Amino acid sequence: MPIRPEIVDGWVRGWAVSRGTSAPVAVPDGYRIDVGRPGHLVRYVVPRFDPDRLRRLAGTLTGPGTWLKLFADPADVLAALPDGWKEDAPGFMMTAALRTAEIAVPDGYSLSVVEEDGVLRAAVRAGNGLVAARGQAGLAGDVAVMDQIETDPAHRRRGLGGLVMTALGHGAALRGVGRGVLGATVEGRALYLSLGWEEHSPLVSVYRP
């Protein structure tokens, strides 16, 4: 089943806020975001997978640092691409209803959540003041896009990733945002499923090196 357009739209808008890029621009096959970073100059997000249209689009995108994001079986995407494209790590598109929550911080840690320029940033610090886990959420209208959720290897398996996600969802809900969207890694998928997030489709990332 094709991914719902509103999921992709929310993800694109919130991701741009989170990363501080230019606003997404609608193009015939989806969206273009000028990222402007080394190795990631521009990304195209294509909501509807059509092998022929993808082949034509990819054939026009020859510049290094160009990325494509699609929602289909990775094997089908790779079969439709011309030579010169590389596959990045696989991912998954996921969503959840956001709500306020009781937040319990484990002993020995502290939690801070701040907002700046439409981005919520959550940080869990150990007793020595160093960041043990962190994450952020780009707020875009009725959507919060969870992004860059990370736990230091020395602090894993202590529930800190879940704490960051809960804190971001709580903060977004307090601001009237009711829906969360994210692109999950293979490693993150299990955590998000355990927190009640719903998986909708594969997320395929390919790029021009």
Side-chain angles (χ1 to χ4, degrees), residues 1-4 7-8 11 46-47 69-74 90-95 182-184 189 198-204:
M1 179 183 296
I3 192 166
R4 299 202 306 271
I7 294 175
V8 180
W11 181 59
V46 181
K69 301 281 182 173
L70 305 107
F71 312 89
D73 185 278
F92 309 90
M93 284 303 300
M94 306 183 74
T95 66
L182 60 80
R189 174 177 174 269
E198 180 182 0
E199 181 181 329
H200 290 272
S201 79
L203 171 58
V204 184

Side-chain angles (χ1 to χ4, degrees), residues 143-161:
V143 174
V145 172
M146 310 306 181
D147 190 25
Q148 297 185 319
I149 311 300
E150 303 170 355
T151 301
D152 185 278
H155 298 273
R156 289 177 181 168
R157 301 188 181 280
R158 302 181 190 181
L160 302 185

Side-chain angles (χ1 to χ4, degrees), residues 61-106:
L61 305 176
T62 59
T66 299
W67 286 70
L68 279 167
K69 301 281 182 173
L70 305 107
F71 312 89
D73 185 278
D76 293 339
V77 171
L78 294 175
L81 290 170
D83 292 340
W85 289 88
K86 302 291 185 181
E87 183 182 13
D88 195 39
F92 309 90
M93 284 303 300
M94 306 183 74
T95 66
L98 302 181
R99 54 183 60 89
T100 57
E102 295 291 333
I103 298 176
V105 181

Side-chain angles (χ1 to χ4, degrees), residues 53-62 68 80-82 85 208:
R53 290 180 67 90
L54 174 59
R55 191 174 294 110
R56 289 194 294 271
L57 173 64
T60 68
L61 305 176
T62 59
L68 279 167
L81 290 170
W85 289 88
R208 282 278 191 180

Side-chain angles (χ1 to χ4, degrees), residues 36-60:
R37 296 175 184 169
H40 196 162
L41 297 179
V42 60
R43 70 161 51 185
Y44 290 81
V45 181
V46 181
R48 179 173 169 270
F49 175 65
D50 179 303
D52 293 331
R53 290 180 67 90
L54 174 59
R55 191 174 294 110
R56 289 194 294 271
L57 173 64
T60 68

